[in-house]
Amino acid sequence: MTNTAMTDTKPEHAIQVKNLVPHYGDRKILIGVNMEVHSGETMVILGRSGCGKSTLLRHLIGLLKPTSGEILINNQDIVQLSEDKLNALRKKMGVLFQGAALFNSMTIGENVALPLQEHTRLNETTIQIMVRMKLSQVGLEGCEDYMPSQLSGGMKKRAGLARALAMDPEILFFDEPSAGLDPVVSASLDELILKLKKAFKMTIIVVTHEMASAFLIADRITLLDQGVVLATGTPEEIRDNQHPKVQQFLQRLPEQITTDDQTYFEQLIKP
């Protein structure tokens, strides 16, 4: 007889970060960071400027190698992978960089087509159909022949997102998607992220310092401060977290200056 009782099972992890420690020269940027991202969830890495968010993202996509620690993506430790195997894994990942990172000498259509031309054997007719589909998914129908210089900041972000989606990635990374955008355009990009998640059930990791965006799109949030994970949880759990630095960030409270004026000035101009 089959037992129909529901049993608790741990969600599958798309990404696991274990005791990650990178250095820039002698400076330790992240201090034993541990993080798990469940398959199909949107994880927002939140924190103020300089806390280590972008450094963590660069390690997750394999652009940087840590001093120590593990980064498991689909149960493969990318720290130990050869370049060929890492590149094969990257084909399952899409990245929207902070400045969109479009090639200015290429049209929007050519930018989106590039990953398909480089990494598939699709014929050109099929590639052009897929380019139009990806641009349509991000609200840029009919923009194939535009140059990046002809687009607004928000349209550039959407074009960069279309290129990130070109290979139908399992994991999609966003680096400060709202940077440089006005609140209305930023909100429309948040809505687009939510639509993509609903439509494609992909795992999404968003690095940002924008709280309104984070609490709208996140299933869970990891809050970083000075290279340390302060808290991880649902938006509600983060709001309820009483750690003083969590509340300082949420309430937008300034750091208290405890040094005298002369010492503070010397710290500001210190090379």
Side-chain angles (χ1 to χ4, degrees):
M1 182 175 178
T2 303
N3 186 357
T4 58
M6 296 296 291
T7 58
D8 291 333
T9 58
K10 289 184 178 180
E12 180 184 0
H13 297 124
I15 299 173
Q16 291 176 283
V17 179
K18 300 181 179 180
N19 299 314
L20 190 68
V21 179
H23 285 77
Y24 289 161
D26 294 331
R27 184 185 171 203
K28 189 182 291 186
I29 306 301
L30 299 172
I31 306 170
V33 164
N34 292 280
M35 183 179 74
E36 295 177 343
V37 181
H38 306 154
S39 294
E41 79 169 340
T42 298
M43 170 66 82
V44 172
I45 302 171
L46 184 63
R48 61 185 184 178
S49 298
C51 72
K53 304 186 304 295
S54 293
T55 295
L56 178 55
L57 176 67
R58 293 187 187 104
H59 282 81
L60 293 178
I61 60 180
L63 292 180
L64 297 175
K65 294 281 188 182
T67 308
S68 61
E70 299 175 79
I71 303 169
L72 277 66
I73 297 181
N74 293 339
N75 295 319
Q76 299 182 73
D77 185 1
I78 66 170
V79 177
Q80 304 299 329
L81 288 182
S82 67
E83 194 65 23
D84 286 344
K85 290 183 178 180
L86 180 56
N87 286 334
L89 186 59
R90 284 191 181 120
K91 293 177 185 178
K92 300 178 182 180
M93 298 155 56
V95 185
L96 175 59
F97 293 98
Q98 187 172 147
L102 298 171
F103 292 102
N104 290 326
S105 60
M106 302 169 67
T107 67
I108 298 307
E110 290 169 343
N111 268 278
V112 178
L114 187 60
L116 297 168
Q117 292 166 341
E118 291 290 322
H119 301 299
T120 74
R121 296 182 179 180
L122 296 173
N123 62 52
E124 192 60 28
T125 300
T126 303
I127 288 176
Q128 292 309 312
I129 292 171
M130 293 188 69
V131 167
R132 290 193 290 272
M133 288 174 58
K134 299 305 176 185
L135 288 173
S136 177
Q137 287 171 0
V138 300
L140 290 180
E141 301 93 337
C143 292
E144 296 95 320
D145 296 329
Y146 283 74
M147 300 299 290
S149 60
Q150 295 176 292
L151 302 185
S152 67
M155 292 174 74
K156 286 180 182 178
K157 290 287 180 79
R158 287 173 178 263
L161 178 54
R163 186 179 61 188
L165 292 169
M167 297 283 290
D168 294 322
E170 296 174 7
I171 304 175
L172 188 59
F173 295 91
F174 291 81
D175 186 11
E176 297 283 7
S178 300
L181 303 180
D182 66 58
V184 174
V185 175
S186 178
S188 69
L189 194 57
D190 289 340
E191 289 297 325
L192 179 56
I193 293 172
L194 290 171
K195 288 179 181 177
L196 289 173
K197 179 193 169 183
K198 183 177 180 180
F200 299 107
K201 311 298 182 184
M202 65 180 67
T203 304
I204 297 175
I205 295 90
V206 181
V207 166
T208 187
H209 63 272
E210 297 285 349
M211 282 193 293
S213 175
F215 282 91
L216 174 66
I217 66 176
D219 292 312
R220 290 192 304 140
I221 294 170
T222 292
L223 183 60
L224 286 181
D225 181 74
Q226 296 182 345
V228 175
V229 175
L230 287 183
T232 298
T234 65
E236 292 76 16
E237 289 169 340
I238 295 296
R239 285 195 183 97
D240 293 341
N241 191 301
Q242 295 305 305
H243 190 292
K245 286 200 171 186
V246 174
Q247 289 301 313
Q248 180 189 30
F249 184 83
L250 296 181
Q251 297 176 37
R252 302 177 70 243
L253 299 175
E255 290 280 9
Q256 296 298 315
I257 300 173
T258 58
T259 56
D260 59 78
D261 291 344
Q262 180 62 31
T263 304
Y264 179 61
F265 178 73
E266 290 173 356
Q267 289 176 346
L268 290 178
I269 64 175
K270 184 177 180 181

